[in-house]
Amino acid sequence: MKIENKEYRTIWFENNVVKIIDQTKLPHQFIIKDLKTVKDIINAIKVMEVRGAPLIGGTAAYGMALAVKENSHPDFIKKSSVSLIQSRPTAINLKWAVDRMMKKLLGINNDKILNIALKEAKEICDEDEKFCENIGLKGLKIIEEIYKKKKNTVNILTHCNAGWLATINWGTATSPIYHAHKKGIPLHVWVDETRPRNQGANLTSYELNEEKIPNTIIADNTGGILMQRGKVDMCIVGTDRTLSTGDVCNKIGTYLKALAAYDNNVPFYVALPSSTIDWDIKNFKDIPIEERNPMELSHIEGLDENNELKKVLIYPKKSKALNLAFDVTPAKYITGLITEKGICEASSEALKKMFR
Ligand code: MRU
């Protein structure tokens, strides 16, 4: 998608290094960063220079390639794969991508190993781009239906950033929006700010602005009243881990939006590539929920009067804070899952039928 009218993907390999857009600096600074070692990759995932489940997966795949470049001894590759998987716990795409790389590299002990690793990492990224494009084409039909009935601007609410910055390109939740916009359907997006890291305000609104899609940032607690007032036609969110039961783990606050949508008969869709499905865990209470540094809550960063980035404390110095990064929305609150293969019910039968 575009930044200042130039097309980008979120990650690529060039001149022997992995290039990423540093998302900790957006929207105020656009910085392309070089990652040269598997350590750099692990750090970029941990501090969220790259984030969003599919992009974390793609980045980890390149991390495996950089590990091979550094030292192709099987012990080092194995150790790197474990450290990569541990870099963030909730998004299943991370483990999925590392396992896929390990499978590809297993038993290769000749000088072709680096090329094989780089090719597989690129394939993982290319596949994600294609899947996200398909999610958009499938999800477009839902927006078209709403527009056909309403004959007026379609208002969509989204949470966090499940946009192209969270994937390799297109996004998951935003892909149907981009496709509908390209088809000329009038749209307006309610963007949840998404405290504490403000992925909605900093990233979703930023990327929608770049694509010239009307949007309004709202505080995370505003969605409910907008739904009661009939100002939301549908919600679309992404996911970090979708259980085979149809329960969906996504950015903290998603669950409360789903409850409000359910109470107001607003359709609530979740968009995902199949790499986000966890076929093993059956009980949502077993999903590892990331707990991040409370400083993400107690401090806030923005531009000061000299246009310089500054971080300031906004809580009482003595207060404690709890920073859980994700929550789970039970399947019963989800209208449908928009996948690369089509739209299905959030249930084990429907998911099995579509993917197994
Ligand atoms: O903590 P983040 O910013 O990595 O969380 C991202 C989300 O929760 C997204 O909604 C999810 O990864 C889906 S991305 C297409």
Side-chain angles (χ1 to χ4, degrees), residues 48 51-54 56 88 160-162 166-167 172 199 238-240 250-251 326:
M48 294 173 64
R51 26 75 43 208
I56 293 174
R88 280 194 82 189
C160 194
N161 172 261
T167 65
T172 56
Q199 290 95 327
T239 161
D240 290 82
N250 190 46
K251 180 53 56 197
F326 300 94

Side-chain angles (χ1 to χ4, degrees), residues 260-274:
Y262 190 76
D263 194 43
N264 289 282
N265 286 319
V266 173
F268 190 93
Y269 285 94
V270 180
L272 62 135
S274 49

Side-chain angles (χ1 to χ4, degrees), residues 22-87:
D22 180 355
Q23 300 195 20
T24 59
K25 297 289 183 290
L26 290 173
H28 303 298
Q29 295 171 353
F30 180 76
I31 294 171
I32 293 175
K33 193 167 173 178
D34 292 353
L35 306 178
K36 297 178 180 154
T37 63
V38 63
K39 243 188 177 165
D40 290 347
I41 294 266
I42 290 167
N43 182 59
I45 294 173
K46 278 189 179 163
V47 302
M48 294 173 64
E49 287 167 352
V50 287
R51 26 75 43 208
L55 177 57
I56 293 174
T59 309
Y62 273 114
M64 288 298 295
L66 290 186
V68 167
K69 189 163 165 271
E70 258 172 276
N71 179 350
S72 61
H73 192 283
D75 291 349
F76 183 75
I77 296 176
K78 178 80 197 130
K79 213 171 123 218
S80 301
S81 76
V82 173
S83 307
L84 276 164
I85 289 172
Q86 286 169 349
S87 58

